[in-house]
Amino acid sequence: GENVEQHPSTLSVQEGDSAVIKCTYSDSASNYFPWYKQELGKRPQLIIDIRSNVGEKKDQRIAVTLNKTAKHFSLHITETQPEDSAVYFCAASRGRDTGRRALTFGSGTRLQVQP
Amino acid sequence: GAVVSQHPSRVICKSGTSVKIECRSLDFQATTMFWYRQFPKKSLMLMATSNEGSKATYEQGVEKDKFLINHASLTLSTLTVTSAHPEDSSFYICSARDQIGGVASPLHFGNGTRLTVT
């Protein structure tokens, strides 16, 4: 099955700096890569996603890049703010009908933005 | 946007009792729902895939007789933790995707259920 590895496990940055979280996946057939933000005791919230036919996607301060050849994808947060502090999870799934495919999650990155 | 409702949010039960957790898609239909388990400061681990009108698909190592899943309609899946033990204490969270949207639909999560078995 799919295996998703995520690094780093913790990341501390100063407010205004950029943060980068990286993930690798094992299944070359995976074609959907979302990123979730989870605050303590709350549900994961989708913040951005990318599909395998796209190399990069950006939404305001958040961007995701995908390298299919190397099987890795990254989350980039620019101009970080204290409210960005949370645990971030990458995930991957495959299949044409991804409605029936579960996500495999990375181990998570605890991001702390120091004011 | 799509909403997944999960109930209860917290439950405390005694060892040996059973607990039922409900997961509802409020404004969309889902033939498939997913149940995850999350230990403190850990990732979400897929337990099983709930299929409307058929048997659930369990991940390796998850006991199907202990974690009973029923997907009776296109908007409701239930997870019953039978004969709960303290080691079953965890955060259980369900998720679903709008079946009409398919590939284009993101996965939405319920608020989760924190189960504590005493």
Side-chain angles (χ1 to χ4, degrees):
Chain A
E2 175 67 277
N3 182 48
V4 178
E5 296 193 356
Q6 183 172 345
H7 301 280
S9 57
T10 60
L11 179 60
S12 182
V13 300
Q14 290 294 124
E15 182 177 0
D17 288 349
S18 295
V20 180
I21 303 171
K22 298 181 178 180
C23 288
T24 60
Y25 60 98
S26 62
D27 188 348
S28 56
S30 288
N31 56 8
Y32 175 64
F33 308 92
W35 286 87
Y36 285 84
K37 175 183 180 182
Q38 186 179 31
E39 297 177 0
L40 189 63
K42 296 188 177 180
R43 75 176 90 190
Q45 297 275 11
L46 177 70
I47 56 172
I48 196 167
D49 58 11
I50 192 168
R51 302 187 187 278
S52 59
N53 58 345
V54 176
E56 184 174 358
K57 184 177 178 180
K58 189 174 182 179
D59 183 5
Q60 299 182 339
R61 297 187 296 110
I62 296 173
V64 56
T65 58
L66 171 65
N67 184 325
K68 287 174 56 180
T69 303
K71 289 191 286 188
H72 67 70
F73 56 113
S74 301
L75 177 71
H76 304 253
I77 305 174
T78 58
E79 301 172 31
T80 54
Q81 301 166 3
E83 50 266 37
D84 293 330
S85 297
V87 178
Y88 291 81
F89 291 98
C90 63
S93 72
R94 67 178 178 88
R96 188 159 53 89
D97 177 12
T98 56
R100 297 183 180 274
R101 297 286 182 178
L103 292 173
T104 300
F105 284 87
S107 53
T109 297
R110 185 170 299 276
L111 173 64
Q112 288 184 311
V113 180
Q114 308 291 344
Chain B
V3 176
V4 174
S5 173
Q6 187 172 341
H7 179 81
S9 57
R10 290 178 181 273
V11 59
I12 300 173
C13 70
K14 293 185 177 180
S15 289
T17 60
S18 295
V19 174
K20 180 185 282 189
I21 304 169
E22 291 187 350
C23 181
R24 294 181 184 273
S25 55
L26 296 186
D27 54 0
F28 64 95
Q29 293 183 331
T31 55
T32 304
M33 292 186 178
F34 307 99
W35 287 95
Y36 288 86
R37 182 174 180 175
Q38 187 176 30
F39 290 104
K41 297 185 179 181
K42 297 293 183 182
S43 188
L44 293 89
M45 302 301 297
L46 180 67
M47 297 176 65
T49 300
S50 173
N51 304 299
E52 188 266 336
S54 65
K55 292 182 180 180
T57 305
Y58 289 83
E59 295 300 299
Q60 191 173 8
V62 178
E63 299 176 57
K64 60 182 66 176
D65 293 332
K66 181 167 186 60
F67 298 100
L68 300 179
I69 290 174
N70 184 279
H71 196 145
S73 76
L74 288 172
T75 59
L76 174 63
S77 174
T78 61
L79 168 68
T80 301
V81 183
T82 63
S83 187
H85 290 114
E87 55 265 32
D88 298 325
S89 298
S90 188
F91 188 60
Y92 294 87
I93 190 163
C94 69
S95 62
R97 206 183 257 116
D98 187 338
Q99 65 175 35
I100 294 177
V103 172
S105 294
L107 194 65
H108 298 282
F109 284 88
N111 273 326
T113 297
R114 186 161 302 283
L115 171 63
T116 303
V117 185
T118 61

